[in-house]
Amino acid sequence: MTSTRTDVVIRTYGPGQVPPMLDTIADIWSDAHPELVDTPGAATDGLSAVALRRQVTGHLRHEGFTLVAAYANGSMVGFGYAFPCTPEYWYGPELLPEIPEHIRAGRLMGLCELAVTPARQSQGIGSRLHSALLKAVNPDYASLLVRPDNTPGRTLYERLGYTYAGPYRNEPGGPVYDLLLLQVGNEAAAP
Protein backbone atom coordinates (compact mmCIF):
# COMPACT_ATOMS: atom_id res chain seq x y z
CA MET A 1 0.00 0.00 0.00
CA THR A 2 1.37 3.41 -0.94
CA SER A 3 1.23 5.91 1.89
CA THR A 4 0.07 9.45 1.53
CA ARG A 5 1.74 12.69 2.53
CA THR A 6 -0.80 13.16 5.30
CA ASP A 7 0.53 10.27 7.36
CA VAL A 8 3.90 12.01 7.77
CA VAL A 9 4.43 14.51 10.57
CA ILE A 10 7.40 16.94 10.54
CA ARG A 11 8.83 18.05 13.90
CA THR A 12 11.48 20.70 14.57
CA TYR A 13 14.20 20.35 17.21
CA GLY A 14 16.86 22.60 18.72
CA PRO A 15 20.41 21.55 19.65
CA GLY A 16 19.59 20.39 23.19
CA GLN A 17 17.04 17.89 21.89
CA VAL A 18 19.29 16.20 19.32
CA PRO A 19 21.85 14.06 21.25
CA PRO A 20 19.32 11.31 22.17
CA MET A 21 18.38 11.10 18.47
CA LEU A 22 21.91 10.53 17.13
CA ASP A 23 21.62 6.75 16.76
CA THR A 24 18.29 7.02 14.93
CA ILE A 25 19.48 9.68 12.49
CA ALA A 26 22.71 7.75 11.89
CA ASP A 27 20.65 4.65 11.06
CA ILE A 28 18.46 6.64 8.63
CA TRP A 29 21.55 8.20 7.05
CA SER A 30 23.11 4.73 6.61
CA ASP A 31 19.90 3.33 5.09
CA ALA A 32 19.70 6.28 2.70
CA HIS A 33 23.35 5.86 1.64
CA PRO A 34 23.85 2.09 1.25
CA GLU A 35 26.49 2.70 -1.41
CA LEU A 36 28.77 4.16 1.29
CA VAL A 37 28.39 1.55 4.00
CA ASP A 38 31.02 -0.84 2.62
CA THR A 39 32.91 1.60 0.40
CA PRO A 40 36.67 1.63 1.08
CA GLY A 41 37.72 5.08 2.22
CA ALA A 42 34.19 6.28 3.04
CA ALA A 43 34.89 6.43 6.78
CA THR A 44 38.13 8.33 6.28
CA ASP A 45 36.37 10.71 3.89
CA GLY A 46 33.79 11.52 6.57
CA LEU A 47 31.09 9.46 4.85
CA SER A 48 30.05 7.07 7.60
CA ALA A 49 27.55 6.86 10.43
CA VAL A 50 30.37 7.45 12.92
CA ALA A 51 31.46 10.55 11.00
CA LEU A 52 27.85 11.76 10.85
CA ARG A 53 27.49 11.51 14.64
CA ARG A 54 30.74 13.45 15.05
CA GLN A 55 29.64 16.05 12.48
CA VAL A 56 26.21 16.62 14.06
CA THR A 57 27.70 16.85 17.55
CA GLY A 58 30.20 19.45 16.34
CA HIS A 59 27.51 21.48 14.59
CA LEU A 60 25.24 21.63 17.66
CA ARG A 61 27.28 24.61 18.91
CA HIS A 62 26.18 26.83 16.01
CA GLU A 63 23.60 29.41 16.97
CA GLY A 64 20.34 28.69 15.17
CA PHE A 65 21.09 24.97 14.70
CA THR A 66 17.84 23.29 13.63
CA LEU A 67 17.03 19.65 13.01
CA VAL A 68 13.76 18.60 11.41
CA ALA A 69 12.52 15.03 11.46
CA ALA A 70 9.77 13.25 9.56
CA TYR A 71 7.70 10.64 11.36
CA ALA A 72 5.34 8.02 9.93
CA ASN A 73 3.36 5.82 12.31
CA GLY A 74 5.47 7.11 15.20
CA SER A 75 8.83 6.17 13.65
CA MET A 76 11.39 8.59 12.24
CA VAL A 77 11.70 8.10 8.48
CA GLY A 78 13.78 11.13 7.54
CA PHE A 79 15.68 14.10 8.90
CA GLY A 80 17.57 17.17 7.86
CA TYR A 81 19.58 19.76 9.68
CA ALA A 82 21.00 23.17 8.99
CA PHE A 83 22.14 26.35 10.67
CA PRO A 84 22.76 29.99 9.78
CA CYS A 85 26.41 30.59 8.98
CA THR A 86 28.78 33.12 7.54
CA PRO A 87 29.96 32.82 3.95
CA GLU A 88 33.53 32.71 5.25
CA TYR A 89 32.73 29.64 7.34
CA TRP A 90 30.65 27.87 4.70
CA TYR A 91 32.57 28.52 1.49
CA GLY A 92 36.10 28.71 2.88
CA PRO A 93 38.97 30.82 1.58
CA GLU A 94 39.33 28.99 -1.76
CA LEU A 95 35.73 29.27 -2.95
CA LEU A 96 34.67 32.51 -1.22
CA PRO A 97 36.13 34.80 -3.94
CA GLU A 98 33.99 32.93 -6.51
CA ILE A 99 30.75 33.69 -4.64
CA PRO A 100 29.12 36.94 -5.81
CA GLU A 101 29.04 39.79 -3.29
CA HIS A 102 25.22 39.96 -3.16
CA ILE A 103 25.16 36.34 -2.02
CA ARG A 104 27.94 36.89 0.53
CA ALA A 105 25.94 39.83 1.95
CA GLY A 106 22.71 37.82 2.45
CA ARG A 107 21.64 35.59 5.31
CA LEU A 108 23.04 32.14 4.54
CA MET A 109 21.83 28.72 5.66
CA GLY A 110 24.22 25.81 5.47
CA LEU A 111 22.20 22.65 4.81
CA CYS A 112 24.34 19.87 6.23
CA GLU A 113 22.27 16.73 5.85
CA LEU A 114 18.96 15.65 4.38
CA ALA A 115 18.13 11.94 4.34
CA VAL A 116 15.00 9.84 3.97
CA THR A 117 14.86 6.10 4.46
CA PRO A 118 14.63 4.37 1.06
CA ALA A 119 11.14 2.93 1.66
CA ARG A 120 9.83 6.48 2.05
CA GLN A 121 11.78 8.23 -0.71
CA SER A 122 9.98 9.82 -3.68
CA GLN A 123 6.98 10.67 -1.50
CA GLY A 124 7.73 14.38 -1.00
CA ILE A 125 9.28 13.91 2.45
CA GLY A 126 12.66 15.37 1.48
CA SER A 127 10.94 18.44 0.02
CA ARG A 128 8.86 18.86 3.18
CA LEU A 129 11.94 18.56 5.39
CA HIS A 130 13.72 21.14 3.25
CA SER A 131 10.76 23.54 3.47
CA ALA A 132 10.65 23.15 7.25
CA LEU A 133 14.35 24.03 7.51
CA LEU A 134 13.91 27.10 5.31
CA LYS A 135 10.99 28.23 7.44
CA ALA A 136 12.89 27.70 10.71
CA VAL A 137 16.18 29.31 9.64
CA ASN A 138 14.71 31.98 7.32
CA PRO A 139 17.74 32.57 5.07
CA ASP A 140 18.15 34.61 1.90
CA TYR A 141 20.31 31.83 0.46
CA ALA A 142 20.73 28.14 1.21
CA SER A 143 23.79 26.16 0.26
CA LEU A 144 24.78 22.52 0.46
CA LEU A 145 27.36 20.00 -0.67
CA VAL A 146 26.46 16.93 -2.68
CA ARG A 147 28.63 14.14 -4.01
CA PRO A 148 28.78 14.38 -7.80
CA ASP A 149 27.66 10.72 -8.05
CA ASN A 150 24.60 11.20 -5.79
CA THR A 151 22.03 11.24 -8.58
CA PRO A 152 18.91 11.00 -6.35
CA GLY A 153 20.17 13.85 -4.17
CA ARG A 154 21.08 15.99 -7.18
CA THR A 155 17.65 15.37 -8.69
CA LEU A 156 15.91 16.52 -5.51
CA TYR A 157 18.11 19.59 -5.05
CA GLU A 158 17.73 20.67 -8.68
CA ARG A 159 13.96 20.25 -8.39
CA LEU A 160 14.08 22.49 -5.29
CA GLY A 161 15.89 25.16 -7.35
CA TYR A 162 19.53 24.66 -6.34
CA THR A 163 22.19 25.38 -8.94
CA TYR A 164 25.86 24.48 -9.18
CA ALA A 165 28.18 27.07 -7.60
CA GLY A 166 31.51 25.26 -7.87
CA PRO A 167 33.65 22.36 -6.65
CA TYR A 168 34.41 22.17 -2.94
CA ARG A 169 36.58 20.14 -0.55
CA ASN A 170 35.83 19.97 3.17
CA GLU A 171 39.51 19.44 3.83
CA PRO A 172 42.71 19.30 1.78
CA GLY A 173 43.02 15.94 0.09
CA GLY A 174 39.36 15.11 0.86
CA PRO A 175 36.77 14.22 -1.75
CA VAL A 176 35.51 16.90 -4.13
CA TYR A 177 31.84 17.79 -3.73
CA ASP A 178 29.55 19.95 -5.82
CA LEU A 179 28.53 23.06 -3.94
CA LEU A 180 24.93 24.00 -4.72
CA LEU A 181 23.19 27.29 -4.01
CA LEU A 182 19.56 28.36 -3.72
CA GLN A 183 18.21 31.89 -3.61
CA VAL A 184 15.30 31.42 -1.24
CA GLY A 185 11.99 32.69 -2.54
CA ASN A 186 13.12 32.41 -6.16
CA GLU A 187 12.76 29.39 -8.37
CA ALA A 188 16.43 29.40 -9.27
CA ALA A 189 19.61 30.46 -7.54
CA ALA A 190 21.63 33.35 -8.83
CA PRO A 191 25.29 32.31 -8.48
Side-chain angles (χ1 to χ4, degrees), residues 18-68:
V18 172
M21 304 166 71
L22 285 173
D23 288 341
T24 303
I25 65 175
D27 288 346
I28 290 170
W29 184 91
S30 294
D31 287 348
H33 298 91
E35 73 281 5
L36 297 176
V37 173
D38 295 320
T39 301
T44 57
D45 288 342
L47 300 172
S48 68
V50 170
L52 175 73
R53 285 184 188 91
R54 189 172 46 248
Q55 173 186 294
V56 172
T57 301
H59 286 158
L60 291 173
R61 66 180 167 80
H62 290 279
E63 186 173 334
F65 174 99
T66 302
L67 183 135
V68 294

Side-chain angles (χ1 to χ4, degrees), residues 9 17-18 38 50 63 70 101 114 122 136-137 152 161 183:
V9 175
Q17 299 167 300
V18 172
D38 295 320
V50 170
E63 186 173 334
E101 181 59 37
L114 186 65
S122 299
V137 177
Q183 183 173 2

Side-chain angles (χ1 to χ4, degrees), residues 159-176:
R159 193 173 69 248
L160 293 172
Y162 283 85
T163 59
Y164 180 77
Y168 186 84
R169 288 182 194 267
N170 282 337
E171 54 191 53
V176 176

Side-chain angles (χ1 to χ4, degrees), residues 81-100:
Y81 84 88
F83 53 86
C85 57
T86 65
E88 293 79 11
Y89 172 84
W90 191 256
Y91 299 118
E94 289 183 25
L95 190 56
L96 186 62
E98 305 295 323
I99 304 299

Side-chain angles (χ1 to χ4, degrees), residues 100-185:
E101 181 59 37
H102 70 279
I103 294 172
R104 287 185 268 157
R107 290 183 321 274
L108 177 65
M109 176 182 89
L111 175 57
C112 300
E113 294 293 337
L114 186 65
V116 176
T117 192
R120 299 303 298 242
Q121 290 176 1
S122 299
Q123 297 176 17
I125 295 171
S127 296
R128 290 180 62 197
L129 289 166
H130 182 263
S131 293
L133 284 170
L134 291 177
K135 182 177 179 183
V137 177
N138 192 30
D140 295 323
Y141 295 92
S143 190
L144 60 88
L145 300 174
V146 65
R147 291 185 341 270
D149 64 343
N150 182 350
T151 303
R154 284 298 289 260
T155 300
L156 170 64
Y157 300 134
E158 289 170 3
R159 193 173 69 248
L160 293 172
Y162 283 85
T163 59
Y164 180 77
Y168 186 84
R169 288 182 194 267
N170 282 337
E171 54 191 53
V176 176
Y177 294 93
D178 289 341
L179 185 118
L180 304 181
L181 183 64
L182 171 72
Q183 183 173 2
V184 178

